Amino acid sequence: MRGAVLYASGDVRVAQRPDPAIIEPTDAIVRLAATCICGSDLWPYRGVEKFDGPAPMGHEYVGIVEEVGSQVTTIKPGQFVVGSFAVSDNTCEICRAGYQSACVQRVFMNAIGTQAQLAWVPLADGTLVATPGVPDADLVPSLLAASDVLGTGWFGAVAAEVGPGKTVAVVGDGAVGLCGVLAAKRLGAERIIAMSRHAARQELAREFGATDIVTERGDDGVAVIKDLTNGLGAHSVIEAVGTQESMMQAIRSTRPGGHVGFVGVAHDVELPGEELFFSHVHLHGGPALVRQYLPELIDLICDHAIDPGKVFDLTLPLDEAAEGYKAMDERRAIKILLQP
Amino acid sequence: MRGAVLYASGDVRVAQRPDPAIIEPTDAIVRLAATCICGSDLWPYRGVEKFDGPAPMGHEYVGIVEEVGSQVTTIKPGQFVVGSFAVSDNTCEICRAGYQSACVQRVFMNAIGTQAQLAWVPLADGTLVATPGVPDADLVPSLLAASDVLGTGWFGAVAAEVGPGKTVAVVGDGAVGLCGVLAAKRLGAERIIAMSRHAARQELAREFGATDIVTERGDDGVAVIKDLTNGLGAHSVIEAVGTQESMMQAIRSTRPGGHVGFVGVAHDVELPGEELFFSHVHLHGGPALVRQYLPELIDLICDHAIDPGKVFDLTLPLDEAAEGYKAMDERRAIKILLQP
């Protein structure tokens, strides 16, 4: 099969990779209908995150089940499925508590690489969720978003305890931040402040439910959030970047007793303990609990209640993945859908 | 009046200080029945925390109201009161959300210094809570504990979302950690693991409700907690020290999706963002919400339902405060009650 491989920082190419096969009786093979490039793929692409040798890329995926192992009971060939970027058994104590992306058997799909024509999915029953019938083509981008960015924005909003009557600030205007805006809206937030200085992203943020746009960053951004919230800070802040600046911006934008949901993969971040102590914020985040939310998110998408697929503003054939990485790296595109 | 003053690290003396007087119409003056030395007083005493010039010491207090300003309505002279270590108006939006120790008008009582015969208490209506009548002498130590360490252990347990069916680990065997054990027991924890290598403290921990004692520290301590929890970690961990080691011990002892309540005043702590991200723990803490809990804690104490005063294992006249600091610094005493 064809699949994207990162050879060195900045050097992604689509190459011939071996077709996956069932190894364990709990595996499935999925023929991908769509896959995409994630903001987190840029960390190794930019050389910020170390990686070993030529690395297959991608962890987001939707498609038709081609084959399942003998012990797979809920997923069947021919079904259209959405899978979490984190493989989970969905039966261990951690999964049952809703933390499937910390499953005791967790494998991250980026170790497998879904920017390809086929994906090998271990623990298929615990990882994949089938849609009700094969969806229309116009729903595919939104279902693909549910595989990571929508679920990640959603987790950010849940971790930030977004709810009715609350003011929410969103740090980061990538696909995850924008999906955080969408989630905040669905979860009933009263006011949603998107922090963005990029016209197209501001527009999508407003479409997804943002009531205010703040273009300032860092401590200037914090000052504006304070101004907008009677000097107190937001009740809930979704952090969707993962840098030192964005984390501190999120913590400082939150009122005492408020909640920061941080879902940007943290890189070179050190949180000052004393400031955190006196900030009185709640801090929660990590790899999103996509598998927990998938059934609900699939229903919302299939009911046309949400349209997170709008984050894809560029679609390319899989073979042009290199151009996709470049466009995202240069912030020419929010998120790129790849057609295998 | 007589009052303890820190002149230099290691040099605490009880000196003549000016009698406090009503300044604002919302103030009260309290004649102290008892005061005490806090683990957090050791930070400046040990020279770890900077302080300006000769500093009056102490922030825990109970006593009889001597005088109130003209606008004080709920507190009256002659009442026995317990006060939070954090002054609050109890009316601002932050207070109404239960975060009185982050009140927009907050003053920490250690800036005032309650290791003395009298205490000036600003915002008396919002800060002080009167007991039902003047309590018997045997209740005074427990009421004094409610002024900080009990409320702080309680906040640690609440922040760690302690509850029925949960396994709780407590990092730190000082008065706050021990009160965290007591709080965990009252809040219905199924299993309470106290981390202590000190016989007298282990004994009190058991008396307060600990079901297990772990003597190992750091990563060895984490390994034992994991062994005791099916490899997963505790649901709730109360951190009651405030060092890098204790914070990491707390975070690493918590299962994914679990909660760390950190109430040890953080000093020289830097939390690694990436580890925190992948840990999936919830983190919450800070100066305890004593004022929120005081009415409930006073009731429990006056009903003899809890006896947190047992953390005081040495009582000294106020004039011997220097010996008290020495005994706590050398860990010869858990907590010292001073009689003004």
Side-chain angles (χ1 to χ4, degrees), chain B residues 178 181 194 196 200-211 213:
Chain B
L178 293 166
V181 170
S196 172
R201 295 165 190 235
Q202 291 173 357
E203 197 181 323
L204 191 51
R206 286 204 183 273
E207 195 177 331
F208 279 171
T211 54
I213 302 287

Side-chain angles (χ1 to χ4, degrees), chain B residues 139 143 150 154 182 186 293-308:
Chain B
L139 289 177
L143 291 166
L150 172 60
W154 203 273
L182 183 156
R186 283 295 310 181
Y293 306 133
L294 269 181
E296 179 184 359
L297 298 179
I298 288 172
D299 282 352
L300 287 171
I301 291 165
C302 291
D303 292 349
H304 296 271
I306 56 174
D307 191 1

